[in-house]
Amino acid sequence: MQNQESETTPDTRPALAAIFTAFAKIGLTSFGGGLSGWMMREFVLRRAWITEEEFLSGLALAQSFPGVNVVNLAIWIGFRLRGGAGAAMGALGIVVPPMVVAIGLAALFSQVRDSHALHVVLAGVAAAAVGLSLQTGIRAARRAARQAVPLVVMTITFVALFLLRLPLLWVVGAMAPLSIGIAWLRLRRTEASA
């Protein structure tokens, strides 16, 4: 009976080709940064493949690992959607098509690098990217500010980095284990009360 149900239940997960195409679209249409904001808009708001909470957790995880944040995030989202194969499609989609275009544009840019109009367009694109990143940061801060402990952790991190100007590695090295420990204790408490 269970096998019959699983055979007739449609697979609502996106296909591997759809994952690749979605990340390729983001990679090919995003210039000057702001990719995480675009990803949230695409995968949380538009396609509803993951929840906002999952996305923000993945973003925090991606930023804590070495390497390019958006590639880490693409791997994480792909893995959440389709396991290892989804992670590979996410990474390939976000890296390969834009890399091919970037190589072509670099060759073209050498021909028009003195154009004033080109510099104006690139400045506008960079401003839009800053706006997208700001939107993601505000959403993450609003979610963290709903509870006292995450708000305290966020405030201490902000003060350490932007007011005291402490080294990033030291701040992350101290705050990441603290945050993980707090989350672990909260999960244990939730499981014990359930």
Side-chain angles (χ1 to χ4, degrees):
M1 182 69 180
Q2 191 175 6
N3 287 341
Q4 187 177 6
E5 284 179 1
S6 65
E7 287 175 5
T8 57
T9 303
D11 188 359
T12 56
R13 299 178 306 166
L16 292 175
I19 295 172
F20 178 86
T21 304
F23 280 105
K25 176 186 159 193
I26 291 171
L28 287 170
T29 55
S30 299
F31 293 86
L35 286 177
S36 57
W38 191 295
M39 283 183 183
M40 186 172 73
R41 177 174 286 201
E42 186 71 20
F43 297 119
V44 175
L45 303 177
R46 186 170 167 268
R47 298 177 189 258
W49 283 354
I50 59 174
T51 65
E52 183 175 332
E53 187 173 65
E54 289 174 321
F55 179 85
L56 293 174
S57 296
L59 180 61
L61 188 65
Q63 290 176 337
S64 65
F65 283 130
V68 181
N69 291 342
V70 292
V71 176
N72 293 343
L73 185 57
I75 291 170
W76 187 86
I77 291 173
F79 185 80
R80 293 286 296 178
L81 295 173
R82 298 289 296 199
M89 288 299 105
L92 290 173
I94 201 75
V95 170
V96 174
M99 182 181 68
V100 171
V101 171
I103 291 171
L105 287 177
L108 180 65
F109 185 74
S110 65
Q111 304 297 320
V112 294
R113 65 181 172 208
D114 296 328
S115 167
H116 176 70
L118 177 65
H119 290 280
V120 170
V121 168
L122 290 178
V125 169
V130 169
L132 279 172
S133 295
L134 188 60
Q135 178 198 25
T136 304
I138 290 172
R139 279 178 173 267
R142 283 175 41 199
R143 181 167 292 276
R146 291 180 185 166
Q147 297 174 345
V149 174
L151 181 61
V152 169
V153 171
M154 185 174 67
T155 303
I156 292 171
T157 304
F158 179 83
V159 169
L161 289 176
F162 295 103
L163 299 181
L164 302 177
R165 297 188 182 273
L166 297 176
L168 176 66
L169 284 179
W170 287 102
V171 174
V172 171
M175 299 309 289
L178 176 66
S179 297
I180 292 169
I182 291 169
W184 181 73
L185 288 173
R186 184 179 295 164
L187 280 174
R188 282 193 62 188
R189 215 175 303 141
T190 303
E191 289 173 359
S193 64

